[in-house]
Amino acid sequence: MSTLLEGLAVREVTSAGADAPRVLLVHGLGGAASTWSLVAPALARDHRLLLVDLPGHGDSPPPAPDEGPGAMRAAALGRRLRRAAARLRAVEGRAVHLVGHSLGGWVCLEAAAADGAGDPDAGTGPQGPAVASVVALAPAGLWASPRRRPPLLPTGQRFARWYAGAAPRLPFDPLPTRWGRTLAFAATSAAPRALPAALAREAVLSVASAAGYAAADAELAAGAFTRGADVRVPVAVVAGRRDRVLPATHLLRSSAPPHARWLEWERCGHVPAWDRPADVVELVRQHVRDAERGAQHDTGQDAGQDAGHDVGRTGGRGGAGPA
């Protein structure tokens, strides 16, 4: 069951204790919770997960009319996500970790930049940073200019809506078949035939029902992430070497935060959480663990300085400097 946080529908999934790190999972264009279905159960064992639906996706309503035409821009979505993170920090007393895919990866980077720069419209305040780290999986926005998409992608929602309407009348459902999943997901997965049928169907229906799809798609094609220098927390970026949507060769390392860890994975398409789920789980666990240790190290140094001890800064936040 979802609840609204800063206009974002969030659903908690966890079997971890109350002191486990808080991790927000943010899907991409047309996505929803199905993006994370192969990784959430394992991550929930040692993290308190919140599955986030972007506006006009899943259970989240579209932006209110008075928010203006730019409400679906990645920067605006990032400020919204940062405000949600700040509210969580105010209640729980600690910063949250962000994991995003595609558009969601860009949004997470924007949230971290707003947090690092102290943007006044992003809910920043005296309580300290709200974002602890970012993992960006095949993130959009790290380009000099948006890439022209493969032929299937501009009609992605049209196909999804056709399927949603036609499937009940078809002699059989094509998505449970290997050839049906290959046709539907050849552009997004390195191994579409291996995707579980239930995941494939949920993913297509999520695209079909996403009221915010067109607006977000238009904004994706009109901008780029330019605030890498404002991000002060540890960042890991994953690019799939078999990604047909955002090939690794199209992403610019220079557009990422300067201290970001850059990973290029073999046998991986546009959705690493589908093609390399075990590796995504291990990456998130390691990244969150390292960021938590770095934050504790910084806190200890601050306490030592406040007590008058000569304690030097050593870049406890992964070389990103003070937050």
Side-chain angles (χ1 to χ4, degrees):
M1 184 167 151
S2 298
T3 59
L4 284 181
L5 180 65
E6 289 293 327
L8 302 169
V10 298
R11 178 164 60 90
E12 185 167 37
V13 178
T14 188
S15 55
D19 59 343
R22 173 70 73 188
V23 177
L24 276 59
L25 304 180
V26 187
H27 61 75
L29 177 67
S34 58
T35 301
W36 312 109
S37 61
L38 301 184
V39 300
L43 287 175
R45 289 198 287 269
D46 39 22
H47 305 87
R48 293 175 300 136
L49 301 183
L50 281 180
L51 307 186
V52 178
D53 288 339
L54 292 173
H57 292 69
D59 292 335
S60 290
D66 61 3
E67 295 185 64
M72 291 300 290
R73 290 176 187 159
L77 296 174
R79 291 191 294 272
R80 185 190 294 267
L81 181 63
R82 199 280 167 190
R83 291 194 297 271
R87 288 181 57 182
L88 290 168
R89 180 185 172 102
V91 172
E92 300 178 353
R94 62 196 293 190
V96 305
H97 302 268
L98 304 179
V99 179
H101 166 246
S102 195
L103 171 60
W106 184 358
V107 169
C108 290
L109 290 170
E110 293 283 2
D115 194 52
D119 290 4
D121 58 347
T124 54
Q127 73 273 18
V131 176
S133 73
V134 174
V135 174
L137 304 171
L142 300 184
W143 48 48
S145 60
R147 178 177 181 264
R148 184 176 179 181
R149 298 192 185 101
L152 288 177
L153 291 187
T155 59
Q157 192 172 52
R158 273 180 273 169
F159 163 76
R161 287 180 170 172
W162 171 85
Y163 169 81
R169 302 191 301 272
L170 294 175
F172 66 94
D173 187 346
L175 284 183
T177 69
R178 297 174 72 182
W179 65 263
R181 294 197 295 280
T182 298
L183 288 174
F185 295 97
T188 51
S189 174
R193 290 183 298 177
L195 295 176
L199 181 156
R201 187 172 190 276
E202 184 179 351
V204 171
L205 294 180
S206 295
V207 174
S209 63
Y213 184 99
D217 191 32
E219 296 296 348
L220 265 173
F225 178 65
T226 60
R227 301 188 63 185
D230 287 333
V231 178
R232 312 294 178 122
V233 296
V235 175
V237 175
V238 174
R241 289 190 170 166
R242 293 183 61 186
D243 188 338
R244 298 179 180 91
V245 181
L246 291 175
T249 54
H250 186 71
L251 301 182
L252 299 177
R253 295 185 68 165
S254 59
S255 295
H259 59 281
R261 181 185 179 195
W262 188 276
L263 303 167
E264 295 185 9
W265 286 355
E266 302 288 351
R267 306 182 313 281
C268 186
H270 186 56
V271 191
W274 292 353
D275 291 342
R276 301 278 296 267
D279 293 312
V280 168
V281 169
E282 181 55 32
L283 172 63
V284 172
R285 281 178 173 158
Q286 177 188 9
H287 194 70
V288 169
R289 182 170 58 245
D290 291 348
E292 291 278 307
R293 288 173 179 166
Q296 291 169 4
H297 182 56
D298 281 353
T299 299
Q301 289 180 333
D302 290 341
Q305 289 174 329
D306 290 343
H309 299 300
D310 182 13
V311 182
R313 287 282 180 183
T314 59
R317 285 185 173 271

